[in-house]
Amino acid sequence: MGHAPSGDEESFERRLKKARAKLDPRSDMTADAVETESDTSSLLGLALRIGTDMVAGLAVGVAVGYGLDRWLGYRALFLVIFALLGFAAGMMNVWRIVNGSDMGSGPKGDGRSQRGSRIDD
């Protein structure tokens, strides 16, 4: 019944300890390994969100500009204008993400909603 652990069982034990450390920060495993992994994943998520916002803003601007050019018979007037506007919108979104000022719908610090009325009124 007793046998030496194979490589698979050692890997399982290591992964089990890591999972327990994530669930219980007071466990005996050092939290540095867990924090490093979570920091890396959150930075990757932030980078993907920034890239997606940039591409989405530019793609919407180009699509609207192309559609207006086709509809109104211009060559590339609206395409250039809306591509620049889409790029600017993407940059504004990135600026909001980086500065942490995403426009949440929750109450502000002074107890007011976005419309300005007090929540408890």
Side-chain angles (χ1 to χ4, degrees), residues 18-121:
K18 186 187 262 186
R20 285 184 180 157
K22 282 184 181 180
L23 292 175
D24 185 18
R26 293 172 282 151
S27 69
D28 58 348
M29 185 178 172
T30 61
D32 293 336
V34 176
E35 287 179 9
T36 304
E37 185 175 312
S38 66
D39 289 344
T40 305
S41 64
S42 66
L43 288 176
L44 178 63
L46 182 65
L48 287 174
R49 182 173 176 197
I50 287 173
T52 302
D53 281 350
M54 286 293 299
V55 170
L58 187 59
V60 168
V62 167
V64 168
Y66 180 75
L68 284 173
D69 281 337
R70 295 281 298 198
W71 182 48
L72 297 174
Y74 287 97
R75 282 196 174 244
L77 175 70
F78 291 111
L79 179 69
V80 171
I81 291 171
F82 279 93
L84 291 173
L85 287 175
F87 178 74
M91 288 301 292
M92 278 182 33
N93 286 338
V94 169
W95 183 260
R96 287 181 187 145
I97 292 169
V98 170
N99 286 334
S101 62
D102 279 340
M103 299 179 75
S105 61
K108 297 182 180 182
D110 61 353
R112 297 184 181 276
S113 66
Q114 283 184 341
R115 293 183 183 172
S117 60
R118 291 198 55 86
I119 295 173
D120 55 351
D121 287 345

Side-chain angles (χ1 to χ4, degrees), residues 3-15:
H3 62 281
S6 66
D8 293 338
E9 290 176 3
E10 289 175 4
S11 173
F12 173 74
E13 289 297 326
R14 184 174 34 86
R15 289 182 287 147

